[in-house]
Structures are given as structure tokens and as C-alpha cells.
């Protein structure tokens, strides 16, 4: 009876040991903690007979991509599916391309703590990352910062697991060292200057008309032409900077091209010098206003994108003061556009209902003081002008200071 009892307890302990071993292996797969795989990056999964599962030799249905960044700033690395396949587990490291079998380098920063977990290989903190749970995934983003050495090529190496026995090893992406040319920042600041010029050229015609009581047409046209030329002188260098930046952002280039197109359209119509008595005068003035408003909107959009692109003033987007300032600037610009529209509709009322250009009317208006409506318009124009300058300075300071 004693041998039977010993045999019974021996079997029981054997099953306990096997169960613990099985749970450990499954747990290691599900929560991504497998530091023993730091070098090989293999999940070390076995079947019931203890035989290791072999990695797949087919083309992996998953890939690594990244968003480049200047040296010292985090690179955003993406793990994603090429097709409809989903991965449940992964391990990601960065290694020097010249020593791709060597130790992991750099440091990862988790962007989604619900799905990813940092690992420490060879006593170096956060130099590897894996899944937190075995949920199905199609896309994951992780930030990575390079070590202090410059001008080195790096290789991102990943292992993707589709399930317990199906996985792909050594999915690599080479990152060539390059000096990222940060030309977008000065290009964005030039567009900030352009936004101020657009606001000024939109305000000037009515403001000058009120202050000097109906200037001659060719003088007013000269002011408009000069304003358009100054805008072009700012926008063209900004376009060149965006075009030669590394990396190139096509959206910036497209928006600047649209702004330049509307500026030259306005310049072309102004150069036609349509007389006040001409039947197309009102239509031309309306087109000029519309071009200025659209120009203003696109310029503001470029600046907003620039602030979002180069903002480093807060860990979270909502904590960044340049973003808050830019949001207020956008609202201010919207109010300015509404004001331009309202002042255009009530222009004749503001000017006292007289026709600009008549010498008799000019002499009569010189003797009259500005009406209450005229004073209000001048005050509003000045407020918008000062506000645009303050916002422009604040946003420019935020782009370069942070």
C-alpha cells in the first residue's frame, strides 16, 4: 500500500510541475515578458512533446515603418499588418546595422501602455518592447530615441507572432543616418509674417479711404500691388524652404502653392486698374476680397500645421501653450474674416454714401470730420492689426523656443 501511495503522490507532483511549466510558457507568450529572448528574439514556444516551434520561412505579412526625426528627438516606429492578418505578440529592438546580432541600443518610449510593455535587456533599461496582452493587433506605434552617437545606421528588428506556433523572426528595417534639415521651422515663421501682411493688405484700402478721405484710385492700387508683392516675397522663400526640408512634407508645399496662387490672382486683378465707373468694378472688388480671405485661411492652416509639427512645449498636446495660442489665433482670424465680410457689405454706409473719386466729393469730405461709424471702423482695424502682430510674435516665439 505504501508503494501505491508514494506512486500516487509522485504522479500528482509530476502533474503539478508540468502544469506550472505550461502556465509559465503561456504566460510568457501572452504578456510579453521573455527576457531570455533578448539576443535571439525568439519566443521559445514548444509543443506538447517539448519540441520547439520553428519560425515561418515565408514572406511576413507584417512590417516595420517609421517617421524620421532630427537627431536627439524620438523616432516614431510603427508595427503594422500588410494585409488582413493580425498579430497577437511581438518583440522589437533597435541594433547597430554594423552589428545587427549585437546588443539592443537606444531607448523606447511607450505610447499605448494598454498594449505595450518595456523590457530591459543586458541591464539596459527600456531597450526592448513587447506586447502586454495577447489581443489581436493591426497597428502599434512606439517612440524610440537613439543613443548619443551620431551618423550611425540602425536596424529595427522585430519578431511577430500570429499565434502560439506561427511567428516570423528577423523582420528588419534599416534606418540610414542622415542630417535632418530643419527648414520647416523658418518656413513656418515666414508664413506667420505672410499672415500679418495678408491682414494688413486686407485692412489698408478701407482704412486709407477713411483717413485721407478718398484717395485717388491709382494711389490705392499702388498700395494693393505693393502688399501683394511683399506677400509673394515672403511666400516664395517659404516654399523653397519647405521643398528642400528633410523630411519633405508635401502638405506644407501644397498649401503654400495654393496661397501663392490666390495672391497672384489678386495681384493680376489689381493690376487691371478698372475705373470706378466701370460695370466690372464691384465684381473685381468682390473677387479681390475673396482672394484675400481665402489667402488668409490657407496661411493660417499652414501655421497651425507648423505649430503641431514642431511643438515640444508639453508632454501632452493639451498642455502645450503654443497650441493654445494658435487655437486662439485661429479664432481671431475667423473673427477678422467675418469683419472683412461685414465691412465690405456696409462699405458705402461707413464712407457716408458718397462715391469715391469725385473731386467735388473729396473737397466736401475734407471739411467734414469722421463720422461715428468711421471712428469705430478705424478702432476695430487697429485692434485687429495689433492683435495679429501679438499672436504672430507669440507663435514665432513658441516655434523656436520650445
Amino acid at each position: 500500500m505504501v508503494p501505491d501511495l508514494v506512486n500516487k503522490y509522485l504522479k500528482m507532483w509530476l502533474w503539478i510541475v508540468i502544469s506550472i511549466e505550461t502556465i509559465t510558457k503561456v504566460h510568457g507568450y501572452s504578456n510579453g515578458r521573455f527576457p531570455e529572448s533578448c539576443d535571439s528574439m525568439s519566443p521559445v514556444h514548444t509543443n506538447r512533446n517539448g519540441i520547439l516551434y520553428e519560425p515561418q520561412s515565408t514572406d511576413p505579412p507584417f512590417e516595420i515603418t517609421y517617421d524620421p526625426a532630427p537627431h536627439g528627438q524620438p523616432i516614431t516606429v510603427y508595427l503594422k499588418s500588410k494585409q488582413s492578418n493580425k498579430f497577437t505578440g511581438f518583440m522589437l529592438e533597435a541594433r547597430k546595422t554594423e552589428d545587427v546580432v549585437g546588443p539592443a541600443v537606444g531607448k523606447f518610449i511607450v505610447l499605448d501602455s494598454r498594449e505595450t510593455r518595456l523590457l530591459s535587456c543586458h541591464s539596459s533599461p527600456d531597450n526592448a518592447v513587447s506586447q502586454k496582452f495577447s489581443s489581436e493587433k493591426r497597428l502599434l506605434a512606439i517612440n524610440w530615441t537613439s543613443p548619443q552617437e551620431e551618423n550611425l545606421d540602425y536596424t529595427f528588428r522585430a519578431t511577430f507572432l500570429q499565434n502560439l506556433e506561427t511567428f516570423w523572426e528577423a523582420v528588419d528595417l534599416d534606418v540610414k543616418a542622415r542630417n535632418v534639415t530643419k527648414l520647416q521651422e523658418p518656413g513656418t515663421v515666414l508664413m506667420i509674417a505672410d499672415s500679418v501682411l495678408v491682414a494688413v493688405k486686407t485692412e489698408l484700402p478701407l482704412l486709407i479711404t477713411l483717413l485721407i478721405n478718398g484717395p485717388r484710385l491709382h494711389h490705392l492700387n499702388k498700395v494693393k500691388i505693393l502688399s501683394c508683392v511683399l506677400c509673394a516675397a515672403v511666400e516664395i522663400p517659404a516654399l523653397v524652404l519647405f521643398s528642400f526640408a528633410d523630411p519633405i512634407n508635401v502638405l506644407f508645399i501644397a498649401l503654400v502653392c495654393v496661397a501663392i496662387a490666390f495672391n497672384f490672382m489678386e495681384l493680376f486683378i489689381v493690376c487691371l486698374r478698372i475705373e470706378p465707373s466701370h460695370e466690372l468694378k464691384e465684381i473685381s472688388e468682390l473677387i479681390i476680397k475673396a482672394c484675400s480671405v481665402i489667402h488668409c485661411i490657407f496661411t493660417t492652416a499652414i501655421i497651425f500645421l507648423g505649430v503641431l509639427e514642431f511643438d515640444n512645449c508639453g508632454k501632452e498636446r493639451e498642455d502645450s501653450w503654443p497650441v493654445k495660442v494658435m487655437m486662439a489665433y485661429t479664432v481671431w482670424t475667423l473673427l477678422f474674416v467675418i469683419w472683412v465680410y461685414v465691412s465690405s457689405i456696409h462699405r458705402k454706409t461707413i464712407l457716408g454714401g458718397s462715391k469715391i473719386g469725385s473731386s467735388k466729393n473729396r473737397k466736401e469730405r475734407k471739411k467734414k470730420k469722421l463720422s461715428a461709424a468711421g471712428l469705430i471702423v478705424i478702432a476695430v482695424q487697429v485692434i485687429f492689426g495689433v492683435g495679429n502682430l501679438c499672436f504672430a510674435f507669440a507663435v514665432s516665439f513658441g516655434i523656436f523656443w520650445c
Side-chain angles (χ1 to χ4, degrees):
M1 182 174 180
V2 174
D4 292 339
L5 187 61
V6 172
N7 189 31
K8 178 180 178 181
Y9 278 104
L10 183 60
K11 289 182 178 180
M12 182 181 69
W13 280 108
L14 183 60
W15 279 110
I16 290 174
V17 171
I18 294 173
S19 299
I20 291 174
E21 179 68 15
T22 303
I23 291 171
T24 302
K25 291 296 183 183
V26 174
H27 182 67
Y29 164 67
S30 65
N31 69 6
R33 288 189 179 274
F34 37 95
E36 69 276 2
S37 301
C38 282
D39 294 326
S40 66
M41 299 185 68
S42 176
V44 195
H45 293 165
T46 59
N47 59 20
R48 294 181 180 179
N49 298 322
I51 301 175
L52 284 172
Y53 288 113
E54 294 293 330
Q56 301 296 306
S57 58
T58 58
D59 185 39
F62 313 107
E63 64 179 348
I64 310 171
T65 60
Y66 77 103
D67 289 337
H71 181 77
Q73 295 188 14
I75 294 174
T76 303
V77 185
Y78 300 95
L79 304 178
K80 58 184 181 180
S81 302
K82 292 181 181 178
Q83 304 161 356
S84 60
N85 304 68
K86 297 180 182 179
F87 58 97
T88 56
F90 71 93
M91 187 174 184
L92 175 66
E93 294 180 4
R95 301 177 179 182
K96 295 179 182 178
T97 302
E98 62 186 19
D99 185 19
V100 75
V101 295
V105 295
K107 185 177 181 180
F108 286 98
I109 303 169
V110 168
L111 297 179
D112 187 355
S113 59
R114 297 170 300 178
E115 294 287 349
T116 52
R117 181 195 305 276
L118 295 173
L119 300 176
S120 298
C121 290
H122 303 294
S123 302
S124 297
D126 307 335
N127 61 352
V129 64
S130 64
Q131 82 279 358
K132 199 169 187 179
F133 302 106
S134 58
S135 58
E136 293 185 332
K137 313 163 187 65
R138 280 189 176 176
L139 176 66
L140 276 177
I142 309 105
N143 274 359
W144 178 79
T145 53
S146 63
Q148 295 300 319
E149 301 93 334
E150 295 187 25
N151 299 321
L152 287 178
D153 297 340
Y154 297 100
T155 297
F156 288 109
R157 171 163 287 186
T159 296
F160 288 94
L161 295 93
Q162 190 165 330
N163 50 53
L164 185 66
E165 65 272 5
T166 307
F167 59 93
W168 288 261
E169 292 181 351
V171 180
D172 291 349
L173 174 67
D174 294 332
V175 180
K176 298 294 183 181
R178 60 177 182 172
N179 295 321
V180 179
T181 310
K182 296 176 66 177
L183 297 178
Q184 294 100 330
E185 291 185 8
T188 304
V189 173
L190 284 176
M191 294 309 297
I192 293 173
D194 182 58
S195 70
V196 174
L197 290 173
V198 174
V200 169
K201 79 173 182 178
T202 306
E203 289 181 315
L204 274 179
L206 182 57
L207 191 61
I208 292 175
T209 303
L210 287 170
L211 289 175
I212 60 178
N213 293 317
R216 293 180 180 178
L217 178 63
H218 67 275
H219 290 324
L220 192 55
N221 276 349
K222 286 180 180 178
V223 172
K224 292 179 181 179
I225 291 172
L226 178 62
S227 300
C228 290
V229 170
L230 289 175
C231 286
V234 171
E235 291 164 353
I236 293 174
L239 179 61
V240 173
L241 290 174
F242 287 133
S243 300
F244 284 94
D246 186 10
I248 295 176
N249 192 319
V250 179
L251 185 57
F252 279 104
I253 297 174
L255 291 175
V256 175
C257 287
V258 173
I260 292 175
F262 277 99
N263 181 53
F264 276 103
M265 187 185 302
E266 182 179 351
L267 178 61
F268 173 75
I269 296 174
V270 171
C271 289
L272 293 177
R273 298 183 62 179
I274 301 174
E275 296 295 330
S277 58
H278 198 281
E279 58 183 4
L280 295 178
K281 181 61 179 175
E282 290 188 4
I283 297 176
S284 66
E285 290 290 339
L286 181 62
I287 294 174
I288 290 172
K289 289 286 185 183
C291 288
S292 295
V293 168
I294 296 172
H295 190 176
C296 185
I297 292 172
F298 274 89
T299 304
T300 305
I302 296 166
I303 301 169
F304 208 124
L305 286 175
V307 171
L308 294 177
E309 184 82 12
F310 313 117
D311 171 52
N312 292 311
C313 287
K315 294 182 178 179
E316 301 293 337
R317 188 72 73 191
E318 58 268 17
D319 297 331
S320 172
W321 67 264
V323 174
K324 293 178 180 178
V325 171
M326 193 60 223
M327 292 174 67
Y329 191 14
T330 304
V331 174
W332 185 264
T333 303
L334 178 62
L335 293 175
F336 176 71
V337 169
I338 294 173
W339 165 251
V340 170
Y341 176 75
V342 171
S343 62
S344 298
I345 293 177
H346 299 283
R347 187 169 184 269
K348 289 184 179 180
T349 303
I350 294 171
L351 296 176
S354 60
K355 294 182 180 180
I356 302 171
S358 170
S359 59
K360 182 179 180 181
N361 284 330
R362 286 202 304 271
K363 291 178 182 179
E364 291 177 356
R365 293 183 62 182
K366 284 181 181 178
K367 298 177 183 179
K368 294 181 181 179
K369 294 183 178 180
L370 284 173
S371 63
L375 291 173
I376 293 173
V377 168
I378 292 175
V380 173
Q381 300 277 62
V382 170
I383 290 171
F384 273 117
V386 173
N388 283 327
L389 287 174
C390 292
F391 278 118
F393 176 78
V395 174
S396 300
F397 182 75
I399 288 176
F400 283 111
W401 182 73
C402 291

